[in-house]
Amino acid sequence: MITVETFPAGPLGCNCSLVVDATTKRAIVVDPGGDFALIEEKLGALGATVDAIVHTHTHIDHVGAAAAVQRKSNARACIHEADRFLYDLLPVQAAMLGVPLPEKVEMEGSLKDGSTLSAGSVELGVLHTPGHTPGSVTFVVKTQDGTRVFSGDTLFRRGIGRTDLWGGDSGLIMKSLREKILTLPDDAVVVPGHGPETTIGEERAKNPFLAR
């Protein structure tokens, strides 16, 4: 059995998700955007041990607590290599947004299109979905309740990610949405980087950006 718990973490309300094998208690943390104390509390309540920390992209609001989670768990922290330059720009991002500069962590550039990360029975698939950032990825996991999709800031409920920041590309984000994300099952539950959950079918039918 796989448990998924999602909650806003950090000053910009990034959706952090804990994907846990309920039997072995092995877990993957998706987008630890900040508020390490809250993340630690949630992991403790689940009795979970972290095997990997993964990021849909490296905007500051999605990586804020990565160092603290790694220090506590000794788990690998992973990004897509194309977003490393953006991680190196954390001081610029912090200054631009007026938020504290988080501690940096050694990030593995190991997230590749078609790759998989494991934690117990959890098999988290990786789709490279550039556009919001060059290294944006979407994570997909099959649970006993169906498919869960962690879309970061590529797809939101009735919206898509902005493309006017470093490395953003409006053509690429639409290509990623149409050729990768919208090929997933209509009943797949989408956990975006911010805001409420949705489904692939809902966004295919009701998202004004995808009706164009």
Side-chain angles (χ1 to χ4, degrees), residues 101-180:
L101 178 65
E103 179 185 354
K104 288 192 71 173
V105 65
E106 185 60 38
M107 293 283 193
E108 297 180 9
S110 54
L111 300 181
K112 294 178 170 51
D113 190 59
S115 63
T116 303
L117 295 99
S118 300
S121 65
V122 175
E123 296 287 331
L124 193 72
V126 179
L127 300 176
H128 183 209
T129 50
H132 179 60
T133 67
S136 284
V137 297
T138 295
F139 300 111
V140 182
V141 65
K142 292 184 177 179
T143 77
Q144 64 283 350
D145 299 318
T147 302
R148 289 285 184 116
V149 180
F150 304 93
S151 62
D153 290 0
T154 299
L155 177 64
F156 299 110
R157 184 179 185 275
R158 311 298 187 265
I160 64 173
R162 60 189 294 183
T163 57
D164 59 338
L165 297 173
W166 307 272
D169 187 310
S170 57
L172 267 182
I173 200 170
M174 294 308 299
K175 182 179 173 70
S176 294
L177 287 161
R178 296 194 184 283
E179 297 184 6
K180 296 284 185 68

Side-chain angles (χ1 to χ4, degrees), residues 25-110:
K25 305 297 185 181
R26 312 306 295 189
I28 296 175
V29 178
V30 180
D31 282 351
D35 200 344
F36 171 65
L38 176 61
I39 295 171
E40 185 178 36
E41 176 187 327
K42 299 283 189 180
L43 287 167
L46 293 167
T49 300
V50 179
D51 285 348
I53 308 154
V54 299
H55 307 83
T56 57
H57 61 294
T58 59
H59 281 156
I60 194 168
D61 54 322
H62 290 254
V63 301
V69 175
Q70 188 189 58
R71 186 164 51 249
K72 179 74 174 184
S73 64
N74 203 33
R76 55 195 293 222
C78 309
I79 60 173
H80 191 283
E81 187 61 34
D83 257 18
R84 186 172 299 280
F85 84 99
L86 192 54
Y87 192 62
D88 291 339
L89 288 174
L90 279 183
V92 178
Q93 294 190 53
M96 188 180 96
L97 294 173
V99 297
L101 178 65
E103 179 185 354
K104 288 192 71 173
V105 65
E106 185 60 38
M107 293 283 193
E108 297 180 9
S110 54

